[in-house]
Amino acid sequence: DVKVTQSSRYLVKRTGEKVFLECVQDMDHENMFWYRQDPGLGLRLIYFSYDVKMKEKGDIPEGYSVSREKKERFSLILESASTNQTSMYLCASSLSPGTGESPLHFGNGTRLTVT
Amino acid sequence: DQQVKQNSPSLSVQEGRISILNCDYTNSMFDYFLWYKKYPAEGPTFLISISSIKDKNEDGRFTVFLNKSAKHLSLHIVPSQPGDSAVYFCAASARATSYGKLTFGQGTILTVHP
């Protein structure tokens, strides 16, 4: 069974802080993704990665960066947290690069509050 | 612009009846569609999918219908059970260009009453 683990369930940070959200998957998946979930907006893609050290912008990359130094780990970085980045952050991974037929497997999410 | 839309924020159904959740999309490049279910404090879990070469896919109580000409898909749950109460997200993919990334709708909260 695929396991995607996000290091924190809840985080509270102050405006201007640098924030790291960590995600690890244990199934040797090529693709990894960061989404945020907001009421009425669904899940929106921030960044994704299809290989180690490779990254692509999603639909809402502003204010975020990512790092993928190892295949199993994908980190989301908020360089200077702002209150509009208060959200539920969801990490996901999938097999089969380029086909889209392998479902995304999600972690349980990190609820980030920026005050 | 919202390329995948779920226009009903919520749906309430009696146990044993049919639940129908709807989804519309605008991008003609989408050729693979999925439904995810999400309980509070958990990540979304994959439910069922359909390729654009089909118009129906069934898995137990769950059936997804695709109408390409209308750019519309729906998820039918028969019979509905209280444990089906969750948020349901529709998602779409353009397989040739996407590296597997999905575009999601806003979600529909389904409540099944005993």
Side-chain angles (χ1 to χ4, degrees):
Chain A
D1 217 16
V2 177
K3 194 166 174 74
V4 179
T5 303
Q6 294 184 232
S7 55
S8 304
R9 292 301 299 270
Y10 300 95
L11 274 179
V12 180
K13 297 292 181 180
R14 293 194 180 276
T15 302
E17 277 194 80
K18 190 168 186 175
V19 181
F20 293 85
L21 302 183
E22 307 287 345
C23 175
V24 176
Q25 51 96 359
D26 66 358
M27 284 301 291
D28 204 34
H29 283 177
E30 289 87 355
N31 303 328
M32 295 190 75
F33 308 82
W34 275 105
Y35 285 85
R36 61 179 281 179
Q37 181 195 356
D38 300 288
L41 296 176
L43 279 69
R44 294 179 293 165
L45 181 64
I46 304 171
Y47 266 96
F48 68 102
S49 168
Y50 53 87
D51 201 352
V52 175
K53 296 193 186 294
M54 305 303 291
K55 59 186 179 186
E56 293 282 341
K57 293 179 180 178
D59 300 316
I60 51 164
E62 296 78 19
Y64 303 95
S65 63
V66 289
S67 172
R68 193 162 181 206
E69 296 297 318
K70 293 185 178 181
K71 191 175 186 180
E72 67 271 18
R73 187 178 296 271
F74 192 35
S75 303
L76 180 69
I77 304 154
L78 287 67
E79 295 289 343
S80 177
S82 63
T83 54
N84 63 13
Q85 292 178 310
T86 291
S87 186
M88 169 68 81
Y89 289 87
L90 292 159
C91 176
S93 70
S94 73
L95 204 53
S96 305
T99 68
E101 291 188 12
S102 175
L104 299 191
H105 298 269
F106 283 89
N108 283 334
T110 297
R111 168 83 53 195
L112 173 67
T113 302
V114 183
T115 61
Chain B
D1 63 334
Q2 191 84 25
Q3 296 186 65
V4 178
K5 295 181 184 178
Q6 294 174 256
N7 291 318
S8 298
S10 62
L11 175 67
S12 183
V13 170
Q14 205 68 30
E15 182 179 6
R17 307 293 290 264
I18 184 171
S19 296
I20 300 176
L21 296 97
N22 293 303
C23 179
D24 298 295
Y25 62 96
T26 58
N27 189 340
S28 301
M29 298 299 293
F30 288 148
D31 58 0
Y32 198 70
F33 304 90
L34 306 90
W35 285 93
Y36 280 79
K37 175 178 171 180
K38 186 181 184 298
Y39 293 117
E42 293 183 12
T45 54
F46 169 70
L47 197 55
I48 192 169
S49 62
I50 188 167
S51 164
S52 59
I53 62 173
K54 296 184 177 180
D55 54 19
K56 177 182 174 181
N57 188 26
E58 193 171 350
D59 183 2
R61 296 186 297 114
F62 303 91
T63 303
V64 56
F65 295 92
L66 175 62
N67 182 334
K68 284 195 300 276
S69 60
K71 293 192 175 68
H72 176 83
L73 63 154
S74 60
L75 175 68
H76 292 210
I77 306 173
V78 182
S80 301
Q81 299 173 354
D84 296 329
S85 298
V87 181
Y88 288 79
F89 290 99
C90 168
S93 170
R95 285 175 290 180
T97 59
S98 68
Y99 291 102
K101 71 173 185 173
L102 299 179
T103 301
F104 285 84
Q106 304 97 312
T108 297
I109 301 169
L110 173 65
T111 304
V112 181
H113 298 283

